[in-house]
Amino acid sequence: MSLAVVCFCGYFCNRSIPWRPEDYDSFKWVQALKAKALNKHAFVPVHGVSKRLSNDNLDDATKWFGVFATDYLKKNEHTGPFLVVPVPNSDSVASSNSKPRTRKLAKAICDTLRDGSTVLDCLRWKKNLGSASEVGGPREAEILFGNLLVLRDSLDGLDDGSSVLLVDDVTTSGGHLQACAAKIESKGLGVEIVMCGGKTVYDQS
C-alpha cells in the first residue's frame, strides 16, 4: 500500500553522528508535540519568522502544526472537508479511557482549516505493546495491524467517499502509519494523506 506522508522536519537519531542545530530544534519541536518538557529552547520557522519555543509556550507547537498542515494542504490543492484521524499512542488501548495525545494535533488542523473538517478519533490498540522508540515495541506493520481495532459505532453514518487525513507526531519506519491506514481502508474509507510533525533519521543516506 502506497501512502502520501508529509513530515515537517527530520532529525538524526544516530548518536555517533554529531547533531546539527536544526536537529536539536526539530527534536525539541517533536517533543513539544508529545507534550514533553523541553531542555532549554528551540527555534521553529513559522511563515518565514523564527519563533522561539520553550516550556513557557509549549502549546504553541501544536498550533504551528495546524498552520504547517493547512499551508501544505492549500498549496497542494488538497480540498476538504477531511475526517482527521489521530494515530493512537501505545497506551491508548480499547480497555482504558486514555485518549491519544495526537487528538490535539488533529484538532489543530481542523481549527486552522475551518472548512468543516472534523476529528474522527476511531482507532485503539487491543493491548499496549510498548512504545517503539522508548521500550522497543514493534514497528512491523503486520503486527501493529493485528493489534488495532476500530471503535464500535465510530464510523456509523459516514460517507464511504469521505477523505481521511491521518495524523501523528513523529514517524520512523512508517509501520504505525501503514497499519492505521490499512485498518481504516479495511472499513471502506480511503486515506488521502498523512501528516506527521517529524521524522527520525538513523543514517545519512
Side-chain angles (χ1 to χ4, degrees):
M1 177 177 60
S2 177
L3 273 181
V5 180
V6 178
C7 298
F8 297 114
C9 70
Y11 56 89
F12 292 134
C13 284
N14 188 331
R15 294 292 179 179
S16 66
I17 300 173
W19 282 34
R20 307 160 299 172
E22 53 266 40
D23 293 319
Y24 286 107
D25 286 339
S26 297
F27 173 76
K28 289 175 184 178
W29 184 59
V30 169
Q31 291 300 98
L33 295 180
K34 293 173 175 283
K36 294 184 177 180
L38 303 184
N39 179 14
K40 299 183 180 179
H41 60 269
F43 289 100
V44 180
V46 183
H47 286 164
V49 178
S50 184
K51 301 278 192 178
R52 191 177 191 274
L53 178 65
S54 70
N55 291 320
D56 294 332
N57 65 329
L58 210 59
D59 290 341
D60 284 348
T62 299
K63 297 176 185 176
W64 297 338
F65 178 87
V67 170
F68 295 158
T70 297
D71 286 351
Y72 181 90
L73 292 168
K74 290 182 177 179
K75 180 179 179 180
N76 292 276
E77 299 181 348
H78 292 278
T79 56
F82 299 96
L83 299 173
V84 188
V85 177
V87 172
N89 35 290
S90 56
D91 62 352
S92 296
V93 295
S95 60
S96 78
N97 293 322
S98 176
K99 307 293 186 186
R101 61 173 176 263
T102 45
R103 279 171 57 115
K104 291 184 177 180
L105 304 184
K107 185 176 185 301
I109 292 177
C110 295
D111 290 347
T112 311
L113 278 174
R114 297 181 182 178
D115 64 350
S117 293
T118 57
V119 177
L120 178 61
D121 182 12
C122 62
L123 297 176
R124 290 293 185 275
W125 303 109
K126 295 176 184 177
K127 59 182 179 180
N128 187 344
L129 298 180
S131 167
S133 60
E134 295 178 6
V135 295
R139 296 185 189 274
E140 295 82 2
E142 295 82 2
I143 295 174
L144 295 165
F145 178 87
N147 191 42
L148 265 177
L149 57 79
V150 177
L151 293 177
R152 183 176 298 179
D153 302 330
S154 61
L155 303 185
D156 288 356
L158 295 180
D159 182 358
D160 287 347
S162 299
S163 294
V164 173
L165 194 163
L166 198 60
V167 177
D168 205 356
D169 43 34
V170 66
T171 184
T172 300
S173 67
H176 289 79
L177 303 180
Q178 292 171 2
C180 289
K183 184 62 69 171
I184 291 169
E185 292 184 351
S186 73
K187 300 299 181 180
L189 295 174
V191 176
E192 180 171 341
I193 195 167
V194 182
M195 295 283 178
C196 288
K199 177 174 176 58
T200 55
V201 180
Y202 285 93
D203 59 62
Q204 285 181 299
S205 61

